Amino acid sequence: WVYLLNLVFFFVPLYFVREQWLNVAVSLTLLIPFIYSYFWAYKSTADNAKYPLLLMLASAVAAAPFSSGSLSFFSFLSFFIGFFYPLKRAISLYLGLVAILFTLNYLIGYPQLYFALYGSGICLVVGMFGVIEHNRQKNIREQRQSQDEIAQLAKSLERERIGRDLHDIVGHQLASIALKAELAEKLINAGKPKQAQTQIQQLADISRESLSQIRQAVSDYKLQGLQQVILNLIAILRDKGIAVTLNGELPSLTELQQSQLGLIMTEAVNNMLKH
């Protein structure tokens, strides 16, 4: 609705010919198919935009003999041409539009080609705005897609890291628990309750230690910032005999940025150590 405010240029010429009631009536009537085609085009894609644009063109051509304000219709048409179509095709369509304007100027008899020349200039400028808006929307979509891909990759890497950490923490401990439980069962069956009790006690100690480690790991996932990630990675590299120097200070970052950078750096260090 906001862009339709530009239709004020359609009504201005009607004010000066308001005594010619037929021209005014026909021009106002043609607003109906034009506005319909406008919203139809606004909701269309490049594949099916030709249908509302043809209706818009028909409304503009039909209004031209009754009011020079029909140039406003042509300007809307130029915007959608620049918005929906590739630059080469938009240029060819624009040239066709210019040809239509000159033909109408000749057939209607507007003096000194002002209708065609003025209309061509308006359509060129407004069409450029359509191209600019098309590129802006394209960049927004690409940025949104890139952000979604980065977020998805970050989630995937985070799941892999959590899986590795839990495997390292729980895998060995569960194996020990299973072994201790099996041994305690055999000692009970062999009539050695004291030795079995010792194994059961060790089993309980291992379980509590595993639970503590899991809680610590979960706490680290929640609280660990980028600074701590960097320090941990430095410690890992130095343990492998790699000299590391840390310079500078971290800028102010959001939690999402810190998480993503931490995952990137962790993956980079893992690849260095692996290869």
Side-chain angles (χ1 to χ4, degrees):
W1 286 108
V2 174
Y3 294 110
L4 287 177
L5 293 176
N6 293 305
L7 284 176
V8 65
F9 298 105
F10 174 78
F11 292 100
V12 169
L14 294 180
Y15 174 79
F16 294 100
V17 295
R18 58 185 182 275
E19 295 180 356
Q20 302 175 13
W21 63 268
L22 178 61
N23 289 8
V24 175
V26 172
S27 298
L28 294 178
T29 301
L30 289 172
L31 269 175
I32 298 174
F34 168 78
I35 293 176
Y36 177 79
S37 65
Y38 170 81
F39 284 104
W40 185 7
Y42 195 85
K43 298 177 182 179
S44 299
T45 63
D47 295 330
N48 56 13
K50 60 183 179 181
Y51 302 110
L53 295 190
L54 285 173
L55 178 58
M56 192 177 296
L57 175 62
S59 302
V61 171
F66 301 96
S67 172
S68 60
S70 61
L71 289 178
S72 179
F73 290 0
F74 283 102
S75 68
F76 280 93
L77 178 60
S78 298
F79 176 87
F80 283 116
I81 288 174
F83 180 81
F84 281 121
Y85 298 110
L87 186 58
K88 289 184 178 179
R89 187 176 181 186
I91 291 175
S92 63
L93 292 174
Y94 168 75
L95 293 177
L97 203 59
V98 171
I100 292 175
L101 289 172
F102 275 90
T103 301
L104 289 172
N105 195 112
Y106 173 76
L107 294 176
I108 298 171
Y110 283 112
Q112 300 179 356
L113 296 178
Y114 88 93
F115 179 84
L117 295 176
Y118 187 58
S120 299
I122 292 176
C123 290
L124 175 61
V125 173
V126 177
M128 291 175 60
F129 281 113
V131 174
I132 293 172
E133 179 65 15
H134 170 79
N135 292 332
R136 189 181 74 87
Q137 294 290 341
K138 181 180 178 181
N139 291 334
I140 291 175
R141 288 193 300 269
E142 290 177 350
Q143 290 176 2
R144 186 180 297 115
Q145 181 180 2
S146 178
Q147 290 173 355
D148 292 341
E149 291 174 352
I150 291 174
Q152 187 62 34
L153 178 59
K155 291 179 181 178
S156 177
L157 293 174
E158 183 70 5
R159 285 194 295 267
E160 291 180 5
R161 183 172 73 92
I162 292 174
R164 288 195 302 267
D165 291 349
L166 292 178
H167 178 270
D168 293 341
I169 295 172
V170 179
H172 175 70
Q173 304 287 18
L174 290 178
S176 299
I177 290 172
L179 183 61
K180 293 289 183 182
E182 183 179 354
L183 180 56
E185 182 183 9
K186 291 181 178 179
L187 290 173
I188 291 173
N189 293 334
K192 300 178 179 179
K194 290 186 179 181
Q195 295 179 2
Q197 185 178 4
T198 300
Q199 297 299 322
I200 293 173
Q201 182 62 45
Q202 292 178 0
L203 189 151
D205 293 339
I206 294 173
S207 299
R208 283 191 291 270
E209 182 181 356
S210 299
L211 181 60
S212 176
Q213 290 179 355
I214 292 174
R215 286 175 175 171
Q216 183 62 42
V218 172
S219 177
D220 289 341
Y221 295 145
K222 293 180 179 179
L223 302 177
Q224 184 169 260
L226 182 59
Q227 180 73 35
Q228 187 59 46
V229 171
I230 293 174
L231 295 177
N232 293 342
L233 294 177
I234 290 175
I236 292 173
L237 290 171
R238 286 173 176 168
D239 289 342
K240 299 295 182 179
I242 300 174
V244 182
T245 302
L246 180 63
N247 297 318
E249 297 180 357
L250 289 177
S252 177
L253 301 172
T254 64
E255 292 184 0
L256 178 59
Q257 290 172 333
Q258 292 191 46
S259 174
Q260 291 175 348
L261 285 174
L263 290 171
I264 292 171
M265 298 176 69
T266 300
E267 187 67 16
V269 170
N270 289 338
N271 289 336
M272 289 166 57
L273 297 177
K274 180 178 179 180
H275 299 290

